[in-house]
Amino acid sequence: MARGRLSPERLTRAGAELADEVGFEQVTVSEVARRFDVKVASLYSHLKNSHDLKTRIALLALEELADRAAEALAGRSGKDALTALANVYRDYAREHPGRYAAAQFRLAPEAAAASAGVRHARMTRALLRGYDLTEPDQTHAVRLLGSVFHGYVSLEMGGGFSHSAPDTQETWTRVLDALDALLRNWPRTT
């Protein structure tokens, strides 16, 4: 990669590309410096350390996911919205495995509060209003959806479903059908 002008944004993008190629855990300032054919020290005027770089990649991934989700959810409700949101996560994980892993990176509370993660929560809650869920059930359902989406995608990407029939797409569709049925018939507390 050509040196050009270095900036935090350019280094973050390079780190995100690197994460997709070699895995998020392998991303370091040293590896990014190699990409630009510069000394590591020259990056420290743009980045504090590898943790800062990983935080920036996580924020980028959350922003990209939120943008995709907003576009996919526009004009949809109910099962259509649920399916659209689920497919955004699955498709993003397949296209950008390192960035998807970065989106799971534990952020400092102030970074998390200012991140696109807040948009994800708002969009998921808006989707759940279509199922007539209120608090605290809405929070439970947000956690359930996140767990199912992330769990399925992680197992699928790790090859956990590759040794048996039926096809993973068929299972994914059935999982979303089951989630829709559950959300429409959410157990009420007494």
Side-chain angles (χ1 to χ4, degrees):
M1 184 177 285
R3 274 187 205 199
R5 292 183 64 122
L6 297 179
S7 68
E9 295 77 22
R10 191 160 180 229
L11 296 171
T12 300
R13 289 242 172 243
E17 290 169 13
L18 181 64
D20 287 338
E21 292 169 20
V22 302
F24 181 63
E25 290 303 315
Q26 305 306 313
V27 174
T28 63
V29 174
S30 298
E31 288 299 320
V32 173
R34 279 190 201 92
R35 289 234 160 169
F36 287 95
D37 194 28
V38 297
K39 295 190 183 300
V40 174
S42 65
L43 299 189
Y44 287 118
S45 61
H46 305 286
L47 301 168
K48 294 177 191 169
N49 50 37
S50 289
H51 188 272
D52 179 39
L53 175 61
K54 286 185 173 187
T55 296
R56 290 171 183 272
I57 296 168
L59 294 171
L60 171 68
L62 288 170
E63 190 72 36
E64 289 175 344
L65 267 167
D67 290 346
R68 286 185 181 201
E71 186 175 322
L73 288 171
R76 292 192 163 105
S77 63
K79 185 177 179 200
D80 287 342
L82 174 67
T83 300
L85 183 64
N87 286 335
V88 163
Y89 283 95
R90 187 175 183 220
D91 293 346
Y92 188 80
R94 288 171 161 181
E95 292 169 34
H96 300 291
R99 293 179 206 204
Y100 180 77
Q104 315 308 313
F105 188 63
R106 187 178 185 100
L107 298 171
E110 61 278 359
S115 78
V118 175
R119 285 177 54 207
H120 290 274
R122 271 193 236 123
M123 285 185 277
T124 305
R125 288 177 185 282
L127 178 155
L128 291 171
R129 282 193 294 276
Y131 288 99
D132 199 30
L133 293 180
T134 58
E135 286 302 339
D137 291 328
Q138 203 176 81
T139 296
H140 298 314
V142 166
R143 292 172 179 169
L144 171 72
L145 293 180
S147 299
V148 171
F149 297 166
H150 179 65
Y152 190 92
V153 166
S154 296
L155 288 168
E156 183 181 36
M157 289 178 60
F161 304 138
S162 62
H163 303 294
S164 63
D167 178 73
T168 58
Q169 180 57 45
E170 183 180 339
T171 303
W172 180 247
T173 300
R174 297 286 299 181
V175 165
L176 296 179
D177 288 343
L179 283 174
D180 175 62
L182 172 65
L183 292 170
R184 282 186 284 111
N185 298 290
W186 191 263
R188 304 294 176 198
T189 55
T190 45

